[in-house]
Amino acid sequence: MNTLIMVIFFALAALILISAVMVVTVKNIIHAALWLTASFLGAAALYLLMEAEFLAVVQVLIYAGAISILILFAIMLTRHVTGEGVRQLYERWWVALVVAILLFGAVLVPNLLSEQANWDSQVAAAQTAPAPPAAECPPATVAGSCEIGVAFMRDYLLPFEVASVLLLVALVGAIVIAHEERARRRRVPTLAEEVALKRSIPVERDEDIEAALSPAGREGT
Amino acid sequence: MVNAVPLSWVLIVAAGLFSIGLFGALSRRNTVGILMGVELMLNAVNINLLAFWRYLQPADATGLVFALIVITVAAAEAAVGLAMVIAIYRTRLTINADEVDTLKG
């Protein structure tokens, strides 16, 4: 059983890390967003392995569902930048690589050098400690959604409310930032217009299509 | 999970994920790519929080509550960040971070 769990853990770790590496290295930004979704799903499976079922479901709903879709929409609303030919990394990307590797080493070295016994005894003590008499929840050694609900409604009521206000502020702020006056809206050609124009005039770039579709361009043709 | 995998292995996975996300956030030109790197880093933090909860305080819901708050803040950050990306693209027709340099002296 332990070996099986270890194998599953290593498979999930490989999935998470390889997907993350693909997210930061792949050229096409849409592929990067899809790899990001794979990484999120691997993290959700890791939460399930750690017996945090509620967090796993929340991870799938919010990260793999909402945030990935939001990122894909943002990519599709910003054209001209997803192509394979566009350079995706800075010229001095290796500086970032060095910084990241240094950070990883700085985290890893104390982890390897420190004595494991101290932590292991703490972990063992935590597993055998009796659960505090939780109010309405059935007795369990691992906290579940019942404990989360009680905690949010009792001990963490203020953070809960602050989080809801934060979400409201983010919602209003996102609408205000992304909103655009109707009069100033740029004319975006539909796919049919784009195809028809590409057949009629030999356009090289997408900017030519927009120029042809603008009022001045129409008068000219 | 607790008997099979030591706590430090989970922490090493989270540290690796954080470092990869940091590299992505620092090296990508595309602003959406930078946001993706930030999301990876927040995900690594969440794995760390849940690992400490599961191994050290499994009977208490505090770690779960903390992770849920982090997910909420990440969702708000993604919404506002992507709205700003769309606003920048609308005015400048680019979302590459090195071409948006009005504040550069």
Side-chain angles (χ1 to χ4, degrees), chain A residues 29-30 71-83 186, chain B residues 30-32 82-90 93-96:
Chain A
I29 198 81
I30 290 183
I71 287 176
L72 280 174
F73 264 99
I75 293 170
M76 289 172 188
L77 285 174
T78 55
R79 299 189 309 156
H80 313 302
V81 287
T82 58
R186 225 158 34 81
Chain B
N30 194 324
T31 323
V32 180
L82 293 172
M84 285 171 65
V85 168
I86 291 173
I88 291 171
Y89 176 75
R90 189 179 294 140
L93 283 184
T94 180
I95 56 169
N96 286 337

Side-chain angles (χ1 to χ4, degrees), chain B:
Chain B
M1 177 79 183
V2 174
N3 298 321
V5 182
L7 174 58
S8 41
W9 293 8
V10 189
L11 300 186
I12 288 173
V13 170
L17 189 57
F18 191 91
S19 303
I20 295 169
L22 181 71
F23 171 71
L26 289 181
S27 65
R28 280 261 183 202
R29 288 174 76 219
N30 194 324
T31 323
V32 180
I34 294 175
L35 276 172
M36 283 191 220
V38 174
E39 296 295 337
L40 281 181
M41 288 156 75
L42 286 166
N43 227 1
V45 170
N46 257 346
I47 290 177
N48 239 349
L49 281 174
L50 280 183
F52 277 124
W53 161 76
R54 182 65 188 87
Y55 283 81
L56 298 180
Q57 293 276 332
D60 204 353
T62 311
L64 294 170
V65 169
F66 218 126
L68 273 172
I69 298 280
V70 170
I71 290 182
T72 311
V73 174
E77 174 254 333
V80 174
L82 293 172
M84 285 171 65
V85 168
I86 291 173
I88 291 171
Y89 176 75
R90 189 179 294 140
T91 52
R92 312 190 63 115
L93 283 184
T94 180
I95 56 169
N96 286 337
D98 52 350
E99 291 166 22
V100 185
D101 53 0
T102 314
L103 277 179
K104 207 173 180 180

Side-chain angles (χ1 to χ4, degrees), chain A residues 12 15-16 36-46 59-60 63-65, chain B residues 43:
Chain A
L12 288 178
L15 170 66
I16 294 171
L36 187 71
T37 314
S39 183
F40 287 160
L41 288 177
L46 191 60
Q59 170 91 2
V60 171
Y63 270 113
Chain B
N43 227 1

